[in-house]
Amino acid sequence: MSRNESGQAVIEYVLLISIIASAFVIVGRGLVDMGLAQKLTRPLREEFARTYQYGHPKGKGFEDGGPDHHPRAMTGGTNGRMFLNPRDQ
């Protein structure tokens, strides 16, 4: 019993590729809607940048609302300069 099955493999591959592509689109759209890229890059944009700029992960400058945890602002509170320990002479 011989049936005409020519092209069946090609159609199966096309269907499989379309299912995989639609899964990628659904997952990609879900990640964009959840804002996962912004959540993953938040430490780089905020905490590491403030640590590099001000020397403290919670540091703020005058243009950021204020100085807070700022090593060069001498306004009191949580601000103050960083000094090394004095050497014994």
Side-chain angles (χ1 to χ4, degrees), residues 3 6 10 17 21 25 30 33 35 41-42 46-47 49 51 58-59 67 70 75 79 83 86-87:
R3 294 190 289 179
S6 67
V10 174
I17 288 174
V25 168
D33 290 343
T41 59
R42 186 183 56 80
E46 296 174 6
E47 295 172 7
T51 301
K58 295 180 182 177
H70 196 291
T75 59
N79 302 319
F83 293 103
R87 293 185 182 195

Side-chain angles (χ1 to χ4, degrees), residues 13-84:
Y13 287 131
V14 168
L15 288 173
L16 183 62
I17 288 174
S18 66
I19 290 171
I20 291 172
S22 63
F24 276 118
V25 168
I26 291 170
V27 168
R29 189 169 292 151
L31 293 177
V32 169
D33 290 343
M34 288 179 8
L36 189 62
Q38 286 79 21
K39 289 179 183 177
L40 288 176
T41 59
R42 186 183 56 80
L44 292 174
R45 287 182 287 117
E46 296 174 6
E47 295 172 7
F48 296 153
R50 286 192 305 253
T51 301
Y52 179 77
Q53 186 173 5
Y54 301 119
H56 196 282
K58 295 180 182 177
K60 293 181 183 177
F62 291 98
E63 65 277 355
D64 297 328
D68 191 26
H69 297 283
H70 196 291
R72 294 179 302 274
M74 298 300 288
T75 59
T78 59
N79 302 319
R81 294 191 178 266
M82 297 180 289
F83 293 103
L84 298 175

